[in-house]
Amino acid sequence: MRVKKKDIFFQTLENMADAIVHAADYFAEQVTEFNNVDQFAKKMKEFESQCDSYTHTIIVELNKTFITPIERDDIMNLTTTLDDVVDGLEATTSRFFMYHLSEPDEHITHFAEILRNSAYEIQKAIHLLSEKKLLAIREHTIRLNDLENQGDDLLRICINELFAKVTDPIVLIKKKEIYERLETTTDACEHVANMLESIIMRNS
């Protein structure tokens, strides 16, 4: 029996979601040790380039496909928001390298776990989208919103502690930017959830 080939758009979105999980897993593993920040940054750049390639595939297919499984704008906007998640992880890692950050930081580790959990929720939601199980996606968008709230709370704790304990202005500037970039990446995960909610409303 011949297995029906999966739609190119859903397959590519699944590939992006899987890449986000791989990137977030790797990120969370590396920030507990900071053994080789140079290699860490290079590997994260590879994940970012991979997602750029998937984005390019979506754009090419949109330009040559007349009928799409969901609205064209929804496909493009969802692709962009997924790409933003890996961009955020890669941009943060590049700061570790540029700022010569070489020691573990409990707040960065906590952010990494929030982002890892968010990545898995995104992956589950995108695979449900491929199966057109739209209402089941809501469970994961709710969790993504909750994880983003955890990121907001963590940022407040980080910044408060930073200004209370750190006296070196250079260290303070570096750490503040890194914490804010991590929180912005949790926002990017929530943007994926919001985009999925829009798709659910238009297609249910």
Side-chain angles (χ1 to χ4, degrees), residues 65-76:
T65 305
F66 184 66
I67 298 174
T68 55
I70 55 176
E71 292 290 330
R72 305 171 76 82
D73 286 349
D74 287 343
I75 293 171
M76 194 64 242

Side-chain angles (χ1 to χ4, degrees), residues 105-184:
D105 174 314
E106 63 176 333
H107 297 312
I108 292 173
T109 303
H110 192 174
F111 263 120
E113 281 305 311
I114 291 172
L115 288 164
R116 192 211 293 257
N117 290 334
S118 297
Y120 277 96
E121 296 301 332
I122 288 170
Q123 184 187 48
K124 290 170 189 171
I126 296 298
H127 282 260
L128 286 169
L129 178 64
S130 288
E131 296 164 14
K132 298 188 178 177
K133 296 177 180 177
L134 299 183
L135 295 180
I137 293 172
R138 281 236 161 88
E139 175 187 346
H140 304 291
T141 60
I142 290 167
R143 287 179 187 163
L144 282 164
N145 287 321
D146 179 59
L147 287 162
E148 192 276 334
N149 288 334
Q150 290 179 36
D152 285 344
D153 293 340
L154 181 56
L155 180 65
R156 282 190 283 272
I157 292 166
C158 291
I159 300 301
N160 180 278
E161 187 176 306
L162 196 60
F163 279 89
K165 295 182 177 180
V166 176
T167 55
D168 184 331
I170 303 299
V171 173
L172 191 147
I173 290 167
K174 290 178 182 179
K175 285 290 186 79
K176 182 173 181 289
E177 184 188 350
I178 287 169
Y179 295 150
E180 288 173 344
R181 280 189 175 274
L182 286 164
E183 193 277 330
T184 299

Side-chain angles (χ1 to χ4, degrees), residues 16-31:
M16 288 189 81
D18 294 346
I20 288 169
V21 165
H22 295 320
D25 271 341
Y26 182 74
F27 184 90
E29 289 163 8
Q30 293 299 308
V31 296

Side-chain angles (χ1 to χ4, degrees), residues 11-24 26 42-58 79 82-84 86-87 90:
Q11 183 61 66
T12 307
L13 289 168
E14 283 188 12
N15 291 343
M16 288 189 81
D18 294 346
I20 288 169
V21 165
H22 295 320
Y26 182 74
K42 286 177 181 175
K43 182 67 176 175
M44 290 305 298
K45 186 65 181 174
E46 289 175 16
F47 286 123
E48 191 257 348
S49 297
Q50 186 180 37
C51 279
D52 284 347
S53 175
Y54 292 140
T55 300
H56 178 70
T57 298
I58 292 281
T79 302
L82 289 169
D83 190 51
D84 287 344
V86 175
D87 284 349
E90 190 279 326

